[in-house]
């Protein structure tokens, strides 16, 4: 009876680790890069919130726009006030799913190719996106990495002609978010 | 000296000063938050309550401002060697948080999250819930149930 009890406990523990594990972070990194003819602009955000459910493949990101840090104060001011209108749209989110979940073994260290599909909301505009990236499983941590481009006009962000040479129409987004197992 | 030459020199000097002024304005570095004077000093619990009761009003008062927070930290997170976050956890209204989606999981625990400046990281690692502290930083507003304060330094 005792042995059976032990087996059940072990099985329960295993199943909770393998099948019901969620991963979470509040300190993920997202950078963006705009390469326009007259100026290159880079901004970093180290406060990205993200969660991943290894059982279902559901994944969410929540990004506070005012947390993007620019090398120059004026760039940051224009980004928040003129383009992203961060007082009106303070957060950007992504809610989606890993569609090739079966290819990823969350219990074994390694780098896996992942395709993610879902809704990306920037500046109050939601678009369906599908992107490829990698998921690295490293000693219990899950590191999501993805690089993709977005067209700023797709998200209703208007760039006046006067500054068109300084801000690119396409902005590169780099997601580098390490998630820890949720306790 | 001929009159037209004098006028030309004056115009050139004014032009150079204007160009320097514009360049300085465009390339102005980010504010040094550690040296900046705080506009508000508040208890962590009081500030959080203000945001939860009336976010728009709190945003207009504190977002983008240098503030000082007093209170006792709940925990210190060290997500990387160079990053230290002092957290003042705040009790959440669980009836307001959806538990059936991942955003609910993300926001089940919330509070003030103070990202320390690198030169204050080591001191921040030694903070404990028993000792009251005063932290200065830049208030960036709410992300879900977290109030984000950045470029933080320990005042005392």
């Amino acid at each position: 009876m005792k042995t059976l009890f032990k087996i059940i406990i072990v099985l329960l523990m295993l199943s909770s680790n393998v099948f019901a594990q969620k991963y979470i972070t509040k300190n993920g990194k997202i950078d963006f890069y705009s390469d326009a003819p007259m100026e290159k602009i880079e901004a970093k955000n180290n406060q990205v919130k993200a969660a991943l459910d290894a059982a279902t493949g559901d994944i969410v990101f929540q990004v506070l726009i005012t947390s993007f840090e620019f090398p120059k104060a004026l760039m940051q001011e224009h980004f928040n006030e003129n383009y992203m209108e961060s007082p009106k749209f303070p957060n950007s989110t992504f809610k989606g799913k890993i569609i090739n979940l079966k290819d990823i073994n969350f219990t074994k260290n390694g780098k896996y190719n992942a395709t993610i599909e879902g809704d990306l909301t920037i500046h109050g505009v939601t678009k369906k996106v599908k992107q490829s990236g990698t998921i690295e499983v490293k000693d219990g941590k899950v590191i999501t990495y993805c690089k993709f481009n977005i067209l700023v006009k797709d998200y209703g962000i208007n760039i006046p002609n006067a500054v068109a040479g300084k801000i690119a129409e396409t902005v590169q987004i780099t997601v580098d978010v390490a998630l820890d197992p949720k306790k | 000296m001929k009159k037209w030459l004098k006028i030309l020199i004056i115009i050139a000097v004014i032009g150079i000063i204007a160009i320097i002024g514009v360049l300085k304005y465009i390339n102005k570095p980010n504010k040094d938050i550690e040296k900046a004077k705080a506009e508000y000093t508040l208890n962590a619990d009081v500030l959080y309550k203000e945001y939860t009761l009336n976010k728009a009003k709190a945003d207009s008062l504190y977002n983008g401002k240098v503030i000082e927070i007093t209170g006792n930290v709940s925990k210190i997170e060290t997500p990387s060697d160079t990053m230290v976050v002092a957290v003042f956890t705040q009790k959440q209204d669980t009836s307001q948080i959806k538990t059936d989606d991942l955003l609910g999981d993300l926001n089940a625990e919330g509070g003030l999250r103070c990202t320390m400046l690198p030169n204050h990281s080591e001191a921040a690692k030694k903070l404990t819930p028993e000792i009251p502290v005063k932290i200065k930083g830049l208030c960036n507003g709410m992300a879900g149930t977290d109030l984000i304060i950045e470029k933080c330094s320990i005042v005392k």
Side-chain angles (χ1 to χ4, degrees):
Chain A
M1 192 65 192
K2 261 187 178 175
T3 320
L4 183 69
F5 189 65
K6 274 182 190 167
I7 290 169
I8 290 169
I9 295 275
V10 168
L11 280 175
L12 277 173
M13 282 171 72
L14 272 177
S15 66
S16 68
N17 276 335
V18 177
F19 301 111
Q21 185 64 67
K22 286 179 181 172
Y23 297 86
I24 203 160
T25 186
K26 293 188 175 183
N27 300 300
K29 277 189 276 181
I30 287 185
D31 298 350
F32 88 74
Y33 179 62
S34 152
D35 188 359
M38 281 164 71
E39 197 157 38
K40 289 179 173 45
I41 300 171
E42 268 184 294
K44 292 175 192 304
N45 188 333
N46 294 321
Q47 312 284 340
V48 175
K49 292 167 79 168
L52 187 158
D53 188 336
T56 59
D58 287 337
I59 188 162
V60 297
F61 293 91
Q62 191 174 33
V63 185
L64 184 65
I65 298 302
T66 46
S67 285
F68 276 103
E69 199 185 333
F70 291 73
K72 293 173 189 172
L74 198 65
M75 281 180 183
Q76 195 152 336
E77 200 181 302
H78 285 174
F79 173 76
N80 281 303
E81 287 170 17
N82 302 355
Y83 307 124
M84 297 299 285
E85 299 178 84
S86 57
K88 203 169 157 192
F89 308 109
N91 289 283
S92 276
T93 53
F94 174 80
K95 276 188 194 181
K97 236 178 173 38
I98 302 167
I99 54 175
N100 61 329
L101 191 64
K102 60 174 180 19
D103 301 334
I104 301 158
N105 185 349
F106 286 95
T107 60
K108 194 179 164 196
N109 278 1
K111 252 187 190 174
Y112 306 90
N113 290 323
T115 306
I116 294 170
E117 197 173 28
D119 296 326
L120 178 63
T121 306
I122 299 174
H123 190 241
V125 178
T126 303
K127 294 255 168 202
K128 284 247 177 277
V129 292
K130 189 177 174 183
Q131 295 296 339
S132 297
T134 59
I135 285 187
E136 187 181 356
V137 178
K138 198 178 173 190
D139 305 328
K141 270 187 179 240
V142 170
I143 303 150
T144 57
Y145 185 85
C146 182
K147 205 177 242 187
F148 62 99
N149 293 321
I150 59 158
L151 264 173
V152 291
K153 69 166 189 242
D154 279 355
Y155 293 89
I157 301 162
N158 295 317
I159 296 166
N161 286 337
V163 292
K166 290 187 168 188
I167 300 165
E169 286 178 6
T170 304
V171 172
Q172 188 184 68
I173 313 276
T174 307
V175 179
D176 185 0
V177 175
L179 300 104
D180 296 304
K182 188 173 181 262
K183 283 161 199 158
Chain B
M1 200 187 284
K2 281 180 183 162
K3 200 180 171 189
W4 65 266
L5 191 64
K6 270 188 187 171
I7 294 169
L8 202 69
I9 290 171
I10 291 169
I11 290 172
V13 169
I14 292 171
I16 290 167
I17 292 170
I19 290 169
I20 291 171
V22 168
L23 285 175
K24 263 196 157 180
Y25 174 70
I26 291 172
N27 294 310
K28 192 172 70 174
N30 284 311
K31 209 179 195 178
D32 186 342
I33 305 299
E34 191 179 1
K35 285 185 186 153
K37 198 175 178 290
E39 289 188 45
Y40 297 93
T41 300
L42 292 119
N43 174 272
D45 302 346
V46 172
L47 177 63
Y48 194 81
K49 204 163 193 178
E50 282 194 36
Y51 266 94
T52 46
L53 288 177
N54 189 343
K55 188 177 170 287
K57 192 182 166 199
D59 270 341
S60 68
L61 281 174
Y62 309 118
N63 273 22
K65 304 277 169 63
V66 179
I67 56 169
E68 278 177 349
I69 302 144
T70 58
N72 295 57
V73 295
S74 315
K75 61 179 175 180
I76 299 295
E77 288 180 10
T78 49
S80 72
D81 295 340
T82 51
M83 193 175 176
V84 174
V85 185
V87 184
F88 298 78
T89 307
Q90 300 288 317
K91 209 174 170 197
Q92 299 301 315
D93 180 359
T94 45
S95 65
Q96 297 294 314
I97 295 166
K98 281 194 227 166
T99 49
D100 58 344
D101 77 352
L102 276 178
L103 270 180
D105 280 312
L106 259 182
N107 293 310
E109 192 188 286
L112 290 83
R113 297 182 62 81
C114 306
T115 309
M116 305 306 296
L117 283 167
N119 57 328
H120 284 265
S121 296
E122 286 310 312
K125 282 180 191 170
K126 291 175 192 140
L127 294 175
T128 59
E130 292 79 34
I131 306 159
V133 67
K134 189 191 260 187
I135 288 175
K136 181 163 77 178
L138 177 71
C139 181
N140 267 342
M142 292 290 274
T145 51
D146 291 304
L147 180 60
I148 308 294
I149 324 270
E150 286 177 55
K151 297 181 180 174
C152 294
S153 52
I154 299 168
V155 181
K156 65 174 184 183

